[in-house]
Amino acid sequence: MVDTPAPIERPPLRDLILRKGKRTIVGADPQGLIRGFFAANSSVTIIVLALIMIFLLKEGAGFLGTYKHELEIYRRAGLEFCDIVDRPLSEQQELSSKLRRAVTTSVDPIIQGVRARRDAAFLLKREVEEQTKLAREPLAAALEKEPAPAATELDPLRQQVAAATQQAAAKMNVPDVFTADEAKRLRDEFAKLTPEVSDLPPMLMELSAAFTVKDKEAKQKFGPLVDASDELEEAPEELRGVLDELKEEVLATKEAATTHFTLEEGRQKLLKAASKAKDPQEKEDLIKEADASKTDEPNYEESIKPVLERREELIGKVVAYAAAADAAAVNLPKEGGTAEATQLLTEVRAALPLHAKALRDGVESLRTWKQDKPVSIFTVIGAFFFGTSWLTNSSWQDFFGFVPLLVGSVVIALIAIVIATPLSVAAAIYTNQFASDREKEIIKPVIEFIQAIPSVVLGFIGISLVGDLIKEISEVPWLGWLPGFPIQERLNMFNAGCLLALMAVPTMFSLAEDALNNVPQAYIDASDALGATKLQTVFRVIVPAGLSGIAAAILLGLGRVIGETMVVLLVAGNRIAIPDFSGGPGVIFQPAHTLTGIIAQELGEVSRGSAHWQALFMVGIVLFVISLAVNGCARAVVRRFELPKA
Amino acid sequence: MPATSPSPTPDASFIQVEKFNYAYGDHQVIFDVDLDLHRQDITALIGPSGCGKSTLLRAINRINDLVDIARVVSGHIRIDGVDIYSPEVDVISLRRNIGMVFQKYNPFPRSIFENAVYGLRVAGVKDKQELEEAAERSLKLSALWDEVKDRLHEPATGLSGGQQQRLCIARAVALQPRILLMDEPCAALDPIATARIEDLIAQLRGQFTFVIVTHNMEQAKRIADKTAFFYKGKLVEYDDTMEIFGNPKLKLTEQYVTGRLV
């Protein structure tokens, strides 16, 4: 049925399969060369990764040493001593401002009416004056002339002013806080306004007087509250006085020390250059220059003495102030004039004893404080990894505490993942299992396109659109029950989290969809054949089988989100402080700073090799480790739950 | 009747398996197999799943080398007198001269023509005319030419299963190998396609030395000159096909070929 060609004469098989002389390129096997080329390419990534790690470690490694040195100066110069009191004392300002707000909100309803009348009248006067500015100015100028111009010269100017003023007063739009009679009187009096008379019109005087009376009356009504507020404000004055004097002294010591170390570093460099210099003349010059900049390290023991001499005085003031704070808590009236004031009062009353206690606790530290106690390396490590303040370029002392940044990054990443996970997984399930081919053609490219949006552009959207949107929504009255509503800041962690979620969706969607795609058709057929509906098959067979892939997608999304910089820098609000978790979930509407953001923001401005520079590299190292760990987890999850190969 | 027709060179031992032991890691799958396959014969390897027949087949063209843990424990396989596991053997040339057809037809997702000439292309043949001739020859050999000559440049995946498998055979014979290894070549095909493949093998008889693994007793009876029965990694009986099915020497063989082996 088929014409089979005759077999061709061929050499014996044994000759064919035995190895012959090999072709080589400059002595190497060509196959080996090609292999080597590919191997070299794949190893480039590994080498680069290793170099990045080495570089990061090299720059960051010195940090602990430098920071230890800084903390040593902080202790030996006595700044630490002052901070024992200064730190808790800083709370007082916040408490005080809360009380002031309580006073204002209490008094406000009473004085509102009279104040509105007074302010409205003054505003009208200003409007009239503004409108007649053209006529008034020449008259005012003429009046100031020396010697005074003749009346004939002034009169036309006066007439102009009078005419303009009358016109303006007649056109005045008097608000309805005034009765018709009052409005008429205002018009009459304002029609007579002239730069020659500096006294206020009588009606304005009356309105002002009425306000003063009412204000006094209100203040009297809330007398205890006003007194308490004033007392708390004045209570720490003596303590502050002493403390400020001490702070000045220790700061001088610290500055002397800083100067010494800076000069010393320069001197060492000069000496090093001198030791390398070949020309003897140049060498001598360098050494001379070095000697000229020689300074002594300040004598910490001597300079701390005047501070420590006043230790008991300081303690006395602290105790006195703590007692005053306690007393203020007791004397604080239970209720303010409004619900808000009462709320503020409750807060302050609860906070005051704690505040006093914090100060009293410091007394013991003040007594036992020693400047020559060595700073251990664990203290330094703790100060970085558990430090709660990141404070740089401070005139007092820089602190590199990592916690506020970590908390910011983690909270933002979690918000992003919580938002992105349902979005991307649901989209993946829909696209993979329910969508028609036509829908798939639209959904997939659109979602993947999000990845192409530059993150800085997303930042714009966050600032201009999402921020305003969240703020407006939060001000809708019937949504007020939601935690954190209404929000204070447009740029906050939630806003950043939303945008990062958008950025994470494409990655997570693609990976989750792949995971669902990899579920063997045999499973699906089996489930369908057993009478499961489409939805049952999806949720009982496909999703569970693809779960490890979905989990890996979430983790990789997390890795993407933690490392993202531009959006958080633009949108997260960049407040370097641990967000206040006491308000519950509403915390997500507070601004924060992040690990990535701080590096991007500050690295350009710090001097190379300084503690701040090294601290930023330490942050980079930690970030690197976090990313590695997240990716490692994703790989582990995938490997642990791998499906049998179809 | 193919099984009774005399082999062209009945005495020449072309593939010699000597005291062959083979293992995956610590798990030995072939024990002390001695087997002489004759030039131009069609030999069927039969036996229950896991008896080592496929492994032996894959050891003949050393395609199992690509499995990391697979190793020869001891013994030799000689082809045309050459020990194929000796370092002097070029494994690429070896595979070029031993064709292989798999259980599941696996043409590349390219055109029919490109599938047919893939082996020549990787062997470095560039001459267009030579490639075209080879494609035509091998497609004629595999009895596919008349069905595909008008659509050589259409995707191979558009063919039916039987056609795809015949294309895989064409792909293998295009290199003009001496030996064709077939691992259950009809397992994924319907009876009509199977019959066509069997016809094809019968037509190619005498041009190649066939080694065919099959689970289909009837197929072995229909096409094979010799049959080797394996059980648990050992060669139980090896003889002319008619002997194995008609007059087995061992009880075990009889039980298996009559379907009574438990």
Side-chain angles (χ1 to χ4, degrees):
Chain A
M1 119 181 147
V2 184
D3 57 321
T4 45
I8 306 157
E9 279 305 311
R10 288 175 294 184
L13 182 55
R14 56 177 305 135
D15 295 349
L16 290 175
I17 62 178
L18 284 175
R19 233 174 251 276
K20 301 181 191 76
K22 271 180 134 188
R23 265 199 309 168
T24 58
I25 296 171
V26 286
D29 173 21
Q31 301 268 338
L33 282 179
I34 294 167
R35 240 173 80 153
F37 172 73
F38 282 94
N41 278 303
S42 62
S43 46
V44 162
T45 23
I46 296 172
I47 293 169
V48 168
L49 196 63
L51 284 176
I52 290 173
M53 273 156 90
I54 291 168
F55 173 71
L56 273 178
L57 285 173
K58 181 182 145 276
E59 293 290 341
F63 170 72
L64 290 179
T66 321
Y67 195 30
K68 180 166 184 266
H69 180 71
E70 289 208 348
L71 288 180
E72 266 164 2
I73 296 177
Y74 172 66
R75 175 167 289 169
R76 304 194 74 188
L79 275 73
E80 189 185 45
F81 180 76
C82 295
D83 269 349
I84 296 174
V85 181
D86 205 29
R87 283 248 178 91
L89 195 57
S90 61
E91 268 175 55
Q92 182 266 345
Q93 282 168 352
E94 198 192 327
L95 293 173
S96 208
S97 93
K98 269 187 183 168
L99 274 192
R100 273 201 302 276
R101 252 179 33 229
V103 170
T104 324
T105 51
S106 300
V107 169
D108 241 21
I110 300 172
I111 58 170
Q112 231 167 17
V114 281
R115 190 178 57 197
R117 283 160 63 88
R118 181 196 64 173
D119 291 349
F122 272 96
L123 201 67
L124 288 172
K125 174 171 174 271
R126 174 115 51 84
E127 268 173 30
V128 171
E129 282 168 354
E130 282 289 316
Q131 280 170 12
T132 56
K133 204 163 130 192
L134 279 177
R136 289 168 70 97
E137 267 169 9
L139 180 59
L143 284 172
E144 272 174 27
K145 268 189 196 154
E146 288 286 344
T152 47
E153 214 173 303
L154 288 174
D155 278 340
L157 294 173
R158 283 193 180 116
Q159 276 161 15
Q160 272 175 16
V161 169
T165 310
Q166 267 165 17
Q167 206 180 351
K171 277 200 299 187
M172 229 162 41
N173 190 7
V174 183
D176 52 10
V177 288
F178 298 106
T179 62
D181 285 347
E182 283 169 331
K184 185 169 178 303
R185 204 179 140 205
L186 273 175
R187 277 185 220 283
D188 290 348
E189 286 182 10
F190 285 177
K192 290 177 199 139
L193 281 174
T194 151
E196 287 174 275
V197 185
S198 61
D199 288 345
L200 290 172
M203 174 108 179
L204 278 185
M205 304 275 270
E206 279 165 32
L207 286 170
S208 291
F211 171 76
T212 316
V213 170
K214 203 78 179 171
D215 192 40
K216 204 175 267 172
E217 190 184 305
K219 289 246 164 84
Q220 225 149 28
K221 189 177 168 197
F222 294 101
L225 178 54
V226 177
D227 290 346
S229 167
D230 290 347
E231 265 168 38
L232 187 63
E233 201 139 330
E234 286 157 17
E237 238 158 54
E238 282 188 25
L239 176 56
R240 279 243 163 77
V242 177
L243 191 60
D244 285 346
E245 282 166 35
L246 296 183
K247 277 166 86 171
E248 217 167 287
E249 293 228 17
V250 296
L251 203 54
T253 318
K254 183 198 162 185
E255 265 157 21
T258 317
T259 319
H260 161 72
F261 284 113
T262 316
L263 288 174
E264 188 62 18
E265 202 180 315
R267 197 170 77 89
Q268 293 300 338
K269 270 186 196 151
L270 285 173
L271 287 178
K272 206 171 160 193
S275 70
K276 277 188 191 153
K278 293 201 177 69
D279 180 15
Q281 177 63 38
E282 191 188 342
K283 191 167 186 161
E284 204 173 299
D285 286 350
L286 283 170
I287 291 177
K288 214 179 266 174
E289 200 181 330
D291 287 345
S293 68
K294 193 169 162 78
T295 52
D296 287 325
E297 195 171 352
N299 186 338
Y300 301 108
E301 284 80 21
E302 279 304 314
S303 47
I304 198 76
K305 262 184 196 155
V307 175
L308 291 184
E309 270 164 17
R310 300 181 69 181
R311 194 197 306 237
E312 283 310 317
E313 187 192 350
L314 183 68
I315 291 173
K317 300 284 184 221
V318 169
V319 172
Y321 168 67
D326 272 339
V330 175
N331 294 337
L332 215 55
K334 290 268 178 298
E335 288 188 13
T338 60
E340 194 195 345
T342 310
Q343 170 66 27
L344 284 167
L345 285 175
T346 318
E347 281 172 26
V348 174
R349 196 176 313 110
L352 269 175
L354 295 176
H355 173 54
K357 186 171 179 299
L359 277 158
R360 276 204 202 94
D361 289 349
V363 170
E364 192 50 35
S365 313
L366 282 178
R367 285 227 169 82
T368 55
W369 183 83
K370 282 204 182 64
Q371 71 165 163
D372 48 4
K373 199 173 142 207
V375 179
S376 83
I377 192 75
F378 298 108
T379 317
V380 181
I381 293 172
F384 178 71
F385 282 102
F386 304 107
T388 53
S389 64
W390 180 279
L391 195 63
T392 54
N393 296 331
S394 157
S395 58
W396 176 247
Q397 172 74 27
D398 286 359
F399 289 105
F400 304 105
F402 165 76
V403 176
L405 308 173
L406 182 70
V407 171
S409 274
V410 168
V411 172
I412 290 174
L414 287 182
I415 296 168
I417 289 303
V418 166
I419 297 172
T421 301
L423 274 180
S424 50
V425 172
I429 291 174
Y430 180 77
T431 319
N432 192 265
Q433 292 298 324
F434 299 105
S436 65
D437 285 353
R438 176 118 191 79
E439 283 175 308
K440 272 185 205 173
E441 267 170 39
I442 298 170
I443 296 174
K444 279 185 161 189
V446 166
I447 290 185
E448 274 148 26
F449 173 75
I450 296 174
Q451 220 157 14
I453 304 175
S455 57
V456 69
V457 174
L458 276 182
F460 289 154
I461 296 172
I463 290 171
S464 60
L465 186 80
V466 183
D468 288 341
L469 197 68
I470 298 174
K471 187 143 171 65
E472 269 166 39
I473 290 175
S474 82
E475 279 157 6
V476 173
W478 54 269
L479 283 175
W481 56 272
L482 282 170
F485 276 22
I487 63 171
Q488 308 290 325
E489 306 279 347
R490 282 185 319 122
L491 302 182
N492 54 44
M493 296 192 279
F494 180 74
N495 190 344
C498 286
L499 292 165
L500 287 185
L502 191 64
M503 295 187 71
V505 160
T507 316
M508 292 168 67
F509 168 79
S510 299
L511 289 168
E513 218 240 319
D514 281 352
L516 296 176
N517 240 343
N518 285 341
V519 175
Q521 184 63 33
Y523 291 7
I524 300 166
D525 290 346
S527 170
D528 287 344
L530 289 168
T533 63
K534 180 79 183 164
L535 265 180
Q536 285 171 324
T537 303
V538 166
F539 288 105
R540 285 164 188 264
V541 175
I542 300 175
V543 172
L547 210 55
S548 71
I550 293 172
I554 293 171
L555 280 171
L556 288 173
L558 185 68
R560 168 113 172 78
V561 160
I562 285 223
E564 168 53 36
T565 307
M566 207 53 192
V567 164
V568 290
L569 186 61
L570 288 173
V571 178
N574 297 352
R575 187 179 72 185
I576 311 178
I578 299 178
D580 179 13
F581 284 89
S582 59
V587 69
I588 59 174
F589 297 107
Q590 292 175 21
H593 219 313
T594 55
L595 298 172
T596 47
I598 201 93
I599 299 177
Q601 189 179 25
E602 296 186 348
L603 196 59
E605 297 163 6
V606 299
S607 64
R608 217 188 150 104
S610 66
H612 189 179
W613 162 276
Q614 289 172 329
L616 292 175
F617 271 87
M618 275 298 279
V619 174
I621 292 172
V622 176
L623 198 56
F624 191 79
V625 170
I626 292 174
S627 292
L628 270 184
V630 168
N631 275 290
C633 282
R635 288 180 62 87
V637 165
V638 169
R639 216 173 311 149
R640 173 80 180 70
F641 300 102
E642 208 162 17
L643 286 172
K645 282 270 186 304
Chain B
M1 288 293 287
T4 52
S5 67
S7 306
T9 47
D11 302 327
S13 284
F14 192 48
I15 304 173
Q16 293 165 291
V17 182
E18 290 175 12
K19 294 257 169 286
F20 195 63
N21 286 279
Y22 201 82
Y24 295 113
D26 295 331
H27 176 61
Q28 188 161 352
V29 287
I30 295 178
F31 298 89
D32 276 332
V33 169
D34 278 301
L35 187 63
D36 275 10
L37 304 184
H38 295 187
R39 194 187 294 271
Q40 320 296 52
D41 260 5
I42 298 177
T43 306
L45 308 183
I46 61 169
S49 292
C51 70
K53 56 190 189 307
S54 280
T55 302
L56 181 65
L57 191 80
R58 296 169 74 88
I60 293 175
N61 68 347
R62 287 182 58 182
I63 200 171
N64 254 358
D65 288 13
L66 304 175
V67 180
D68 281 339
I69 54 169
R71 63 195 171 93
V72 178
V73 179
S74 64
H76 307 279
I77 294 179
R78 289 183 210 282
I79 294 178
D80 207 10
V82 178
D83 181 353
I84 59 165
Y85 283 91
S86 87
E88 286 115 63
V89 167
D90 179 21
V91 67
I92 299 299
S93 304
L94 176 77
R95 293 192 193 133
R96 226 167 248 169
N97 287 286
I98 302 178
M100 188 163 197
V101 177
F102 297 85
Q103 178 176 357
K104 172 83 184 163
Y105 42 85
N106 54 356
F108 302 115
R110 303 187 195 175
S111 69
I112 295 167
F113 177 80
E114 283 302 326
N115 266 287
V117 301
Y118 177 83
L120 294 166
R121 280 205 196 275
V122 297
V125 176
K126 293 196 182 66
D127 182 45
K128 199 155 183 255
Q129 202 188 339
E130 190 184 340
L131 290 174
E132 276 167 6
E133 281 168 13
E136 183 174 344
R137 188 174 59 242
S138 57
L139 287 169
K140 277 181 176 161
L141 266 180
S142 58
L144 197 58
W145 179 251
D146 292 333
E147 292 159 56
V148 301
K149 63 184 175 196
D150 300 324
R151 45 172 175 148
L152 281 179
H153 296 284
E154 284 173 27
T157 42
L159 297 172
S160 74
Q163 286 173 323
Q164 290 196 30
Q165 187 65 305
R166 273 182 284 148
L167 177 60
C168 291
I169 296 175
R171 188 168 70 177
V173 301
L175 281 162
Q176 304 184 358
R178 309 303 166 81
I179 301 168
L180 264 182
L181 306 177
M182 295 184 158
D183 193 354
E184 298 183 52
C186 303
L189 301 178
D190 62 71
I192 294 168
T194 301
R196 297 206 62 172
I197 299 278
E198 287 176 10
D199 285 347
L200 171 61
I201 293 169
Q203 273 169 33
L204 295 176
R205 171 193 302 280
Q207 296 188 37
F208 307 98
T209 304
F210 282 93
V211 185
I212 301 175
V213 166
T214 181
H215 278 137
N216 183 336
M217 296 300 132
E218 293 307 313
Q219 185 171 61
K221 256 195 239 175
R222 281 195 297 268
I223 59 173
D225 302 312
K226 300 248 180 193
T227 297
F229 169 54
F230 287 80
Y231 189 68
K232 294 192 173 165
K234 293 186 175 122
L235 176 63
V236 179
E237 198 171 341
Y238 171 53
D239 210 332
D240 286 344
T241 301
M242 289 323 279
E243 286 293 307
I244 290 283
F245 286 96
N247 185 19
K249 305 219 167 19
L250 294 171
K251 184 117 176 95
L252 195 61
T253 317
E254 190 196 338
Q255 281 178 337
Y256 182 71
V257 299
T258 52
R260 284 183 286 114
L261 186 68
V262 184

